[in-house]
Structures are given as structure tokens and as C-alpha cells.
Amino acid sequence: MNIFRLLGDLAHLASIAILVHKMHITRSCRGISFKTQALYVLVFLTRYLDLFYSWISLYNFLMKIFFISSSCYILYLVHYRFRPTYDPSLDTFKVEYLIGPCFVLALIFNYRFELTEILWTFSIYLEAVAIFPQLFMMQRTGEAETITTHYLAALGVYRALYIPNWIYRYYTEGTVDPIAIVAGIVQTGLYLDFFYVYVTKVLQGQKFELPA
């Protein structure tokens, strides 16, 4: 069992649990970007089309079902159940600037020019930048609730753990996935500023505030 892949998946599960817990205990989705959550739904729906024609393992099957269903559930919480607490005037990042270029890249840089392969590649590129609306929203407000930063930290750890996962797979399986590696490095890089503030402030018991 690839320990880095397992830890990455656990960090991803933790990020979802933290986010759902935050919304239920506060009965609010304040500070959560609906657009980022919608992008994650799109990521998982386009990535896991192989559920209909390929079987890898029970673990793989259950994780895919969980990620699709939990992302749709989070979208439901933001858009319906706690909608009065959502402020669209703060969630203004134009997602078409992410979706369009990612799809074009998927058409150009893929492993096979087939529909399912193009959509899988698109999901990899899109996941790398799906956090942009959330980070943009935090940039606009200049602050975030502590529990929201814990969610983002867990999400960042999930992606960071995939770097040693790729190294491990290279030395044990001889497997190299350039598309996933490049996209993962880009995604991890997007979290660097956030992690600096998170480590220097939140973990020291201070409020998360971005520098002016």
C-alpha cells in the first residue's frame, strides 16, 4: 500500500469533514466560495466517468462515490440549506477564466484523444486551479474563520502529499504521470502564501488575516 497516497486521501477526507462540520455547527456557509465547490463537483464528475466501465478495487470505488456525493452535498448546503448566509458579492471570481483554458489544455495536452481521456485530463487541470475562487474571496475580505483555514490546510496537505506519492511510484512502479505531476505542483504552489499565514498566525492562536 502506498502510504503517501493513503495519507493524501485521508487528508482529503479530513478537509471535507471539516468543511461539512463547520457549516453544520455554525449553520452558516459564510466565507465559503460556492464557485470553488461547484468546480470541485465538475472535477469529480468528469474524472470518475470510469465508474461506469472500469473496476479497480472496492477502495477505489468507494472513494470515488464519496468524493462525488460529498462535493454535491456541500454544494447543496451552500446553495440551498444555508443560502441566506452566502454572500455572492464576495464570490466574484470569473470561473470561465479557469474552465475555458483548462479545457483547451486538455484538448492539446492529453495521453489519448478520446472523450473520456480528454475529460479526465480536463479534471486534473481544473482541480489544480479550482481553489482560486476561494483564495480570491479570502483576498477580498482579508480574513477567514479559523475552521475555514483548517479546511484549506487539510486540502493543501492532501495535494502536497501527492508529491512524495509520485516519487514513491516512480521508484517502486516505474510510473511517471507528467500531466498529474505538473498540475499537482501548480496546485501546491497556490497554497504557499496561505500556508505561511496559517503557520505563523493560526497555529500560533492568532486570527487569520492577510497582510495589507
Side-chain angles (χ1 to χ4, degrees), residues 31-109:
I32 302 301
S33 169
F34 172 81
K35 292 184 177 181
T36 279
Q37 300 308 318
L39 289 177
Y40 280 130
V41 170
L42 183 58
V43 164
F44 296 131
L45 288 177
T46 53
R47 179 174 304 172
Y48 297 144
L49 292 173
D50 61 350
L51 280 169
F52 296 105
Y53 60 84
S54 177
W55 176 267
I56 298 175
S57 68
L58 180 61
Y59 172 84
N60 182 272
F61 174 81
L62 292 177
M63 291 295 278
K64 289 177 179 179
I65 292 295
F66 176 80
F67 288 136
I68 292 173
S69 58
S70 62
S71 60
C72 289
Y73 179 62
I74 291 170
L75 210 58
Y76 158 76
L77 291 178
V78 176
H79 194 60
Y80 293 102
R81 187 164 181 181
F82 302 125
R83 186 170 185 170
T85 63
Y86 169 68
D87 187 354
S89 66
L90 297 176
D91 195 12
T92 57
F93 191 93
K94 295 185 179 300
V95 295
E96 54 267 33
Y97 292 160
L98 302 177
I99 295 173
C102 286
F103 189 73
V104 171
L105 284 174
L107 290 173
I108 300 172
F109 301 104

Side-chain angles (χ1 to χ4, degrees), residues 10-21:
L10 290 176
H12 197 178
L13 292 173
S15 71
I16 294 170
I18 290 170
L19 182 57
V20 172
H21 178 66

Side-chain angles (χ1 to χ4, degrees), residues 100-147:
C102 286
F103 189 73
V104 171
L105 284 174
L107 290 173
I108 300 172
F109 301 104
N110 55 69
Y111 296 127
R112 294 188 308 277
F113 199 77
E114 300 172 358
L115 179 60
T116 54
E117 184 66 25
I118 290 171
L119 291 176
W120 177 87
T121 307
F122 166 72
S123 78
I124 297 297
Y125 294 144
L126 186 61
E127 186 183 18
V129 295
I131 199 65
F132 255 122
Q134 181 67 60
L135 297 177
F136 183 76
M137 190 175 184
M138 292 171 60
Q139 186 69 44
R140 291 199 64 187
T141 61
E143 59 184 22
E145 296 177 357
T146 298
I147 195 166

